[in-house]
Amino acid sequence: MKSTDVIMLRPMMPLVTEALDRHFTLHRADPAGDADRFLAEVGPRARGMAVSGVRVDGALLDRLPKLEIIANFGVGYDTIDAAEAGRRGIVVTNTPDVLTDEVADLAVGLLLATLRQIPQVDRYLRAGKWLEKPYPLTGTLRGRRIGILGLGRIGRAIAHRLEAFGVEIAYHGRSRQADVPYAYHASLLDLARAVDVLMVVAPGGPETKGIVNREVLQALGPEGVLINVARGTLVDEEALIAALSDGTIQSAGLDVFADEPRVPAGLIAQEHTVLLPHVGSASVHTRTAMGQLVVDNLVSWFSGKGPVTPVVETPWPRTAP
């Protein structure tokens, strides 16, 4: 495999870089270099690609005529045109399961931090204001009805954790799931009307862009709380800023944004928001497991064993001609 050319367009964690350098002939694009020149020189012979936060579309794939596999660092792969890759016979892999528990833990923590205003209370104490008077009473998880948009691996893990809090749980997704006890709502709007906390855990992409819009936020109501640990593109951020400003909803906890790392000033200015810099899976333990899965997918593929974790759009297993 050492003679196999693999490219990396953006820096990745040392575990990935060092392992790929051992197994393959790894070509790394210099962030300050000429990307066009790099692709012109290496692209025609590249057979594998490791990516993290890189947009992979038809134009890029045109420059990689021998590409066989794209190994994505992360469970979400909306920056990759996986359907187009599939049409070209290119396998796309991601890193599911290994980050499920970490993101679910963070989502529940973000919900509690938003309801109980934990960051705000911390700032209050550090500013010496407790010496003047106690912090005002906060909201609570007690009696809350939780709606989950996207009951996949992470959504289920969040629901399982929330069961321990004794809250009512409902969900919306493409279809009803027979093996869960939670109430199903056939539309997102119906779910928003039925709950007062909406947790967004659905995949990103064109189909879900802006799905949490003004109408959904209005349905959530003045006691409503929005938590997003999925992709920022699912939420209409302008509508969210307006809803927070005029009291349409109560608060929001966000780990993701539409144009990362740029966060709208209108969100930062809101007192009742908890904003995190996309750290859902950002522990040493989980990022190490994710990085190893990127390596495992490439090693397995070029060993002739097939991909370890192919995405649904990918042409695997191969169908007989």
Side-chain angles (χ1 to χ4, degrees):
M1 288 190 299
K2 187 60 181 173
S3 62
T4 301
D5 292 290
V6 171
I7 63 172
M8 184 181 294
L9 298 180
R10 282 181 56 181
M12 297 179 71
M13 62 191 303
L15 180 152
V16 176
T17 302
E18 292 166 8
L20 295 183
D21 207 26
R22 288 196 305 271
H23 288 288
F24 308 103
T25 299
L26 179 63
H27 305 273
R28 286 173 281 176
D30 181 349
D34 187 333
D36 283 338
R37 182 176 178 179
F38 174 81
L39 287 170
E41 291 176 354
V42 182
R45 62 180 188 272
R47 295 175 59 198
M49 180 163 62
V51 298
S52 177
V54 173
R55 182 157 299 282
V56 181
D57 55 17
L60 177 57
L61 295 177
D62 285 341
R63 307 190 70 172
L64 306 169
K66 293 186 178 179
L67 193 66
E68 301 172 25
I69 180 171
I70 303 166
N72 183 61
F73 181 88
V75 66
Y77 54 96
D78 47 300
T79 56
I80 300 171
D81 190 340
E84 177 60 25
R87 284 191 288 271
R88 299 176 186 230
I90 301 169
V91 167
V92 177
T93 66
N94 64 343
T95 59
D97 299 321
V98 294
L99 52 66
T100 296
D101 288 333
E102 203 74 76
V103 177
D105 290 348
L106 188 283
V108 174
L110 182 55
L111 171 61
L112 292 172
T114 303
L115 287 169
R116 298 301 311 275
Q117 300 178 21
I118 293 174
Q120 294 91 329
V121 173
D122 176 86
R123 293 195 296 269
Y124 187 89
L125 180 149
R126 292 175 188 274
K129 295 182 179 179
W130 191 19
L131 296 169
E132 303 170 6
K133 59 181 179 180
Y135 190 84
L137 300 180
T138 70
T140 179
L141 188 59
R142 304 300 97 226
R144 287 282 184 170
R145 299 162 297 163
I146 314 293
I148 299 176
L149 171 59
L151 201 68
R153 294 180 181 92
I154 296 172
R156 283 175 173 243
I158 291 171
H160 178 70
R161 285 157 173 74
L162 288 174
E163 286 178 2
F165 290 90
V167 295
E168 182 181 331
I169 300 170
Y171 72 100
H172 167 68
R174 285 188 292 263
S175 59
R176 184 189 302 269
Q177 301 186 33
D179 60 340
V180 298
Y182 319 123
Y184 174 70
H185 293 268
S187 76
L188 175 55
L189 196 57
D190 285 345
L191 176 66
R193 291 189 182 110
V195 301
D196 46 37
V197 174
L198 180 61
M199 304 196 73
V200 181
V201 206
E207 293 182 357
T208 56
K209 184 176 182 180
I211 191 173
V212 180
N213 55 24
R214 179 73 177 174
E215 190 176 13
V216 168
L217 295 170
Q218 287 175 334
L220 197 56
E223 299 298 316
V225 176
L226 176 71
I227 305 294
N228 188 5
V229 295
R231 285 289 184 267
T233 54
L234 278 82
V235 176
D236 180 337
E237 289 180 339
E238 290 302 316
L240 176 58
I241 291 168
L244 289 165
S245 299
D246 65 17
T248 296
I249 67 169
Q250 184 181 93
S251 56
L254 309 171
D255 185 42
V256 290
F257 305 90
D259 186 25
E260 299 175 359
R262 288 161 287 277
V263 179
L267 286 175
I268 294 174
Q270 299 294 328
E271 178 60 28
H272 295 300
T273 57
V274 178
L275 309 177
L276 306 181
H278 202 155
V279 294
S281 64
S283 72
V284 173
H285 169 86
T286 296
R287 288 290 173 87
T288 297
M290 292 166 63
Q292 187 59 54
L293 191 48
V294 170
V295 174
D296 291 347
N297 270 293
L298 288 162
V299 170
S300 180
W301 176 258
F302 288 112
S303 297
K305 300 174 183 177
V308 179
T309 50
V311 303
V312 294
E313 296 91 343
T314 215
W316 191 267
R318 303 292 193 195
T319 55

